[in-house]
Amino acid sequence: MATNIRPLHDRVIVRRIEEGEQIRGGIIIPDSPKEKPQEGEVIAAGEGKYKEDGTRQSLDVKPGDRVLFGKYSGSEIKIDGDEFLIMREDEILGILERAGAATGTKKGGK
C-alpha cells in the first residue's frame, strides 16, 4: 500500500480477498451475480480502544491476518484507486489460521 494510513482506536483496514473464478457443471459464473467475498487481509490496525481506567485494550488482530467478516460489515473506502474496508474490530467474525503451519509434522508418520 503506497499511502500510509493508521486507523484510529479499534478500527482496522481490510483488503477483500477475491476468490478464483468458479466453474459449476461446466458453466462459468459471471462476475455480476457473484456476492462480494467475506474474507480479507488486515492491512492496518489501530492501537486499541481506551478502557474506563484510561489504559488501552489492544486488538486481537494484526496486519497480515486473514479474517472473516459479515456481509454488510464496514464502510468501503478508496485509497489511491484501491478499494478497502474500514471496520471496527468487533465486526470481524474470526481469524483464519493456516492448517498445518504450526504442527511441524510430515506426512508418512516418520
Side-chain angles (χ1 to χ4, degrees):
M1 192 160 96
T3 303
N4 289 332
I5 184 166
R6 183 175 51 97
L8 299 176
H9 306 293
D10 63 339
R11 290 183 177 85
V12 295
I13 296 178
V14 176
R15 175 187 298 128
R16 286 186 195 268
I17 296 176
E18 300 291 334
E19 297 176 11
E21 192 173 75
Q22 297 178 359
I23 299 176
R24 294 186 187 183
I27 299 172
I28 297 175
I29 302 171
D31 290 338
S32 54
K34 285 185 186 177
E35 293 184 11
K36 291 185 177 181
Q38 295 173 286
E39 186 176 328
E41 178 185 359
V42 175
I43 302 301
E47 293 181 13
K49 202 174 198 176
Y50 282 106
K51 297 192 283 187
E52 288 185 23
D53 64 1
T55 61
R56 278 198 192 256
Q57 179 177 343
S58 62
L59 301 181
D60 292 329
V61 297
K62 61 188 178 309
D65 282 349
R66 198 168 180 152
V67 295
L68 292 175
F69 48 87
K71 191 179 286 191
Y72 302 107
S73 297
S75 299
E76 292 185 359
I77 58 172
K78 199 172 236 188
I79 303 171
D80 294 336
D82 294 325
E83 290 186 15
F84 300 97
L85 288 170
I86 187 164
M87 64 182 74
R88 292 189 179 275
E89 184 189 36
D90 61 1
E91 292 180 88
I92 293 174
L93 304 174
I95 300 172
L96 294 171
E97 302 290 333
R98 287 170 178 80
T103 60
T105 60
K106 295 181 181 177
K107 289 186 178 183
K110 293 183 180 180

